[in-house]
Amino acid sequence: GAVVSQHPSRVICKSGTSVKIECRSLDFQATTMFWYRQFPKKSLMLMATSNEGSKATYEQGVEKDKFLINHASLTLSTLTVTSAHPEDSSFYICSASRNLGDTEAFFGQGTRLTVV
Amino acid sequence: GESVGLHLPTLSVQEGDNSIINCAYSNSASDYFIWYKQESGKGPQFIIDIRSNMDKRQGQRVTVLLNKTVKHLSLQIAATQPGDSAVYFCAENRGGGADGLTFGKGTHLIIQP
């Protein structure tokens, strides 16, 4: 199956700093990538849809200036958590689809962000 | 609000027994459903999917049933093994590959030796 890789898998940062998380599709090109957030013992919540070459689409309640998404190539999307605070601590997961209209999504292994 | 939900947060079964995990959804326009398995600290792993024009689909040791009349989805795992212990999520695609997935709350499946 297709492989999606996230980096880093774990990161600890200080309050007020910014953290960048990368999501790469390793063996296919992804025109669309998705970013999810998961709190402990909770489900995944879609944050935004990352579109190659255009602006990301954010879900209601997700601050676009707080969570910057860049999808500069067909194999890489990045999520930057700006001015991080302890409440931003969470598990961030990306997924990618090979083609527009392709409903099967491949997930990365997730990034555990801890803001201290 | 959340349109996909689970009936039970935790399900414990004996190794070798069959397990059934249930899911209710509320969006009658959803046309594609997926079951994922998530182990601690890892991303979701695809198990099986089903489209709204089907009511049953079988994989290796797993079967997904879809009842559109009552908006219910279930995952049956046959002959459970210790490696099946994980959290299972149902998810729905709201229509077309451009949309992300809406996940249910999840069921923690525990396989007792």
Side-chain angles (χ1 to χ4, degrees), chain A residues 12-87:
Chain A
I12 301 173
C13 71
K14 292 184 177 180
S15 290
T17 62
S18 295
V19 174
K20 180 185 286 188
I21 302 169
E22 295 184 345
C23 179
R24 294 182 185 273
S25 55
L26 298 184
D27 54 357
F28 67 100
Q29 293 184 329
T31 56
T32 305
M33 291 185 175
F34 304 92
W35 287 97
Y36 296 83
R37 182 175 184 177
Q38 186 178 29
F39 289 107
K41 299 190 186 301
K42 297 292 184 181
S43 188
L44 285 77
M45 296 294 291
L46 179 65
M47 298 174 66
T49 302
S50 173
N51 304 298
E52 189 270 333
S54 64
K55 291 183 179 180
T57 304
Y58 290 82
E59 294 297 300
Q60 191 173 9
V62 178
E63 299 176 59
K64 61 181 181 181
D65 295 329
K66 173 76 171 174
F67 299 100
L68 300 179
I69 291 172
N70 183 282
H71 194 155
S73 78
L74 287 170
T75 60
L76 174 64
S77 175
T78 61
L79 169 69
T80 301
V81 183
T82 63
S83 186
H85 291 284
E87 57 264 31

Side-chain angles (χ1 to χ4, degrees), chain B residues 23-37:
Chain B
C23 177
Y25 66 95
S26 58
N27 186 357
S28 57
S30 295
D31 59 2
Y32 179 63
F33 304 88
I34 316 104
W35 280 100
Y36 287 97
K37 173 186 181 182

Side-chain angles (χ1 to χ4, degrees), chain A residues 3 36 76 109 116:
Chain A
V3 179
Y36 296 83
L76 174 64
Q109 70 269 42
V116 297

